[in-house]
Amino acid sequence: MINIRPMREEDIGGVMIIENEVCDFPWTPGIFSDCIKVGYTCSVLEENDEILGYGLLSVTAGEGHILNICLQPKRQRQGLGTRLMKHLLEQAQILKSDTVYLEVRVSNKGAYDLYRKLGFNVVGHRKDYYPSTTGREDAIVLAKSLK
Ligand SMILES: CC(C)(COP(=O)(O)OP(=O)(O)OC[C@H]1O[C@@H](n2cnc3c(N)ncnc32)[C@H](O)[C@@H]1OP(=O)(O)O)[C@@H](O)C(=O)NCCC(=O)NCCS
């Protein structure tokens, strides 16, 4: 059975295996730990105690921000990212967020398509926002109103 629950410190080892496998520029364990400590919404999606993916959301002064979302490579394209995103959007609503923002690499067409399907709209462009294997890469900024 697949369920979504809060991320705990002891999950970070399993989270880092996915993060290191999927991302060219992975977050460090300390970043995940800090997000838990400051009280951001940090969620893991698991099946029979195995972490399949995770998503993190911060909400400040009515503004939500999806900080990270990632699935094991072999569990992508099975609707789990959609499920995790819907969970984070529900949490954002509970935390009285009016709008949720996120950034995505211009090259990440799959994630971009997922966000557009979930009702996010393009609201900006940040030049050279991300490190990339060839230098820097631009970000597309998307937002979804929850009002
Ligand atoms: C992006 C990510 C979270 C999406 O989760 P997912 O479980 O694979 O996505 P879903 O199965 O819910 O896909 C929903 C829709 O999004 C789009 N989509 C998602 N991944 C896609 C891909 N790799 N290529 C093309 N379209 C994709 C499709 O429209 C898809 O619908 P379809 O499968 O019916 O065509 C996941 O692929 C992932 O972890 N990628 C690596 C990390 C990453 O890029 N994170 C986002 C950083 S901004």
Side-chain angles (χ1 to χ4, degrees):
M1 188 169 112
I2 292 177
N3 74 301
I4 297 175
R5 63 159 175 82
M7 187 188 293
R8 303 185 284 257
E9 286 282 338
E10 56 268 33
D11 295 321
I12 293 176
V15 164
M16 282 307 302
I17 292 172
I18 303 173
E19 180 78 5
N20 284 325
E21 189 179 357
V22 172
C23 303
D24 287 334
F25 298 89
W27 280 18
T28 62
I31 299 177
F32 286 102
S33 181
D34 286 347
C35 287
I36 294 172
K37 285 192 188 103
V38 297
Y40 291 163
T41 300
C42 306
S43 303
V44 293
L45 185 147
E46 67 176 4
E47 184 176 45
N48 306 326
D49 293 334
E50 182 192 6
I51 295 173
L52 306 182
Y54 46 88
L56 293 92
L57 162 85
S58 69
V59 177
T60 315
E63 215 173 78
H65 205 117
I66 305 284
L67 304 171
N68 195 341
I69 178 164
C70 194
L71 271 297
Q72 277 184 13
K74 65 175 187 293
R75 299 308 296 264
Q76 293 177 9
R77 285 315 275 282
Q78 296 167 25
L80 299 178
T82 301
R83 194 158 152 185
L84 204 43
M85 278 296 295
K86 285 184 174 167
H87 168 79
L88 294 176
L89 291 170
E90 277 167 23
Q91 295 303 307
Q93 197 135 37
I94 289 167
L95 294 168
K96 311 246 183 291
S97 174
D98 295 333
T99 309
V100 175
Y101 292 88
L102 57 81
E103 288 93 24
V104 60
R105 289 175 182 269
V106 289
S107 62
N108 197 348
K109 171 99 173 59
Y112 174 84
D113 287 349
L114 165 65
Y115 303 141
R116 294 285 291 133
K117 274 189 177 174
L118 287 169
F120 282 81
N121 294 308
V122 176
V123 293
H125 197 98
R126 294 195 213 281
K127 190 158 175 48
D128 294 337
Y129 187 73
Y130 293 109
S132 83
T133 47
T134 54
R136 304 290 302 179
E137 179 173 2
D138 296 356
I140 301 169
V141 187
L142 295 114
K144 178 181 168 75
S145 172
L146 300 182
K147 280 191 278 189

